[in-house]
Amino acid sequence: MANRNTRVFPLIDERTVGFPIRPAPPPALSPSHMLQDALGRPLRDLRISVTDRCNFRCSYCMPKEVFDKDYRYLHHSALLSFEEITTLAREFVALGVQKIRLTGGEPLLRKNIETLIGQLAELRTPDGQALDITLTTNGALLAKKAASLRDAGLQRVTVSLDALDDTVFKAMNDVDFPVREVLKGIEAAQTAGLGPLKVNMVVKRGTNDQEILPMVRHFKGSGVALRFIEYMDVGATNGWRMNDVLPSHEVLELIRQQMPLVPLPSRQTGETAQRWGFAKANGSHDAAAGEVGFISSVTRAFCGDCNRARLSTEGQLYMCLFAGKGHDLRTLLRAGASPTELRQAIAGIWGDRNDRYSALRGLAPADASAPVRRVEMSYIGG
Ligand code: SAM
Ligand code: SF4
Ligand code: SF4
């Protein structure tokens, strides 16, 4: 194994160097007045990063060697306030967003996050519907916060958990955090009614692949949908190599050797996971046993119907998880832009969007010596 103290990460700080926002062209509207990007994709899902800080140091996301005591996190004044986030979210909703996911960093570290959830829960879509509001968390603070999150208006949570074995999990979170505390958080979220719950497991070949079957057995029949995420080449600090990716089809085969699964239809356009249900003896889906999901960002790109925009902690709007630059909404907002101006700016940016990184990945040979110009997952949110 490489000595972790000697690993060198080509890191360019891509924060706060977003595109300035120019006067917007008229938004591209379909005959049904739906905003679409340059590839015909609607805007439906907004992911908002509320902090760039985290209490874990997952090696695939915030490796300790980079995110150490000298790392420069964003200053508090750089962060969007809850009022600023809500002001922007209102315009996104007017343009078609129906679902908001709070993320980070670790979103439960943001002080009074319940206040923001309460503000977002009051927004309504143009046809008067409440939003689907959810949050992705590492679960460390969930046992303490589940009830207050639910009271504030949060509907669901997704919890990240990469192993059931403490040694494996601690090696991955790199802060010695025990599995049992995350399981307590999952239980508290279920009790509070923050379901149906999803658990995300990032699979790294040779690191936690032995945990796949124990995780499946543990969550089968529990009401939790376990989802396997292919380890992604996001950011520029995790030393990603294709050899470390365990493709979803291999995970699926591994599970199917032990228990029968049946494919389930996707529930909505833009769904990131391919769903498989546990099967009864007659081959039909056993709904009580539940399902597993596969998010195959590396081996099976789902850019074709990607309807997600991402707002960074400091108000940079990213059109793709792998984008090198965002669009500087904070400057526009703090310069006093009116709601109409904000809406036009967002519509213009979405109308120009043609990102499809995963679909293009692998088509062009990568230059391994070139520094990677991509923002970190902990900054932009997952
Ligand atoms: N801290 C929270 C958490 O871990 O759930 C929210 C932020 S985290 C960046 C969001 C999701 O991204 C998590 O499920 C995490 O496992 C996933 N993630 C982070 N780095 C990843 C990578 N390199 N490949 C695949 N998934 C990754
Ligand atoms: Fe923190 Fe989540 Fe990244 Fe892990 S994946 S380091 S918990 S932000
Ligand atoms: Fe969407 Fe970019 Fe991911 Fe493709 S690579 S699915 S465009 S975020």
Side-chain angles (χ1 to χ4, degrees), residues 259-322:
M259 47 198 111
L261 295 175
V262 284
L264 299 177
S266 63
R267 278 169 300 204
Q268 66 216 28
T269 329
E271 190 163 53
T272 49
Q274 286 180 288
R275 301 162 55 226
W276 288 75
F278 295 105
K280 291 180 184 165
N282 67 8
S284 65
H285 177 211
D286 180 356
E291 63 182 70
V292 288
F294 299 89
I295 301 180
S296 319
S297 328
V298 178
T299 62
R300 190 178 166 279
F302 38 79
C303 302
D305 53 13
C306 177
N307 53 19
R308 292 175 291 282
R310 293 179 157 85
L311 185 62
S312 82
T313 316
E314 54 179 343
Q316 302 281 320
L317 177 61
Y318 284 83
M319 293 291 101
C320 176
L321 188 52
F322 297 92

Side-chain angles (χ1 to χ4, degrees), residues 15 17 51 111 119 125 127 137-138 154 160 180 185 215 225 235 265 274 293 298 303 318 340 346 358 360:
R15 299 170 299 179
V17 287
T51 177
K111 222 170 149 194
Q119 291 173 6
T125 64
D127 57 357
T137 173
N138 61 26
L154 190 70
S160 304
R180 69 167 185 281
M215 288 280 283
Q274 286 180 288
V298 178
C303 302
Y318 284 83
T340 308
I346 297 164
S358 286
L360 300 176

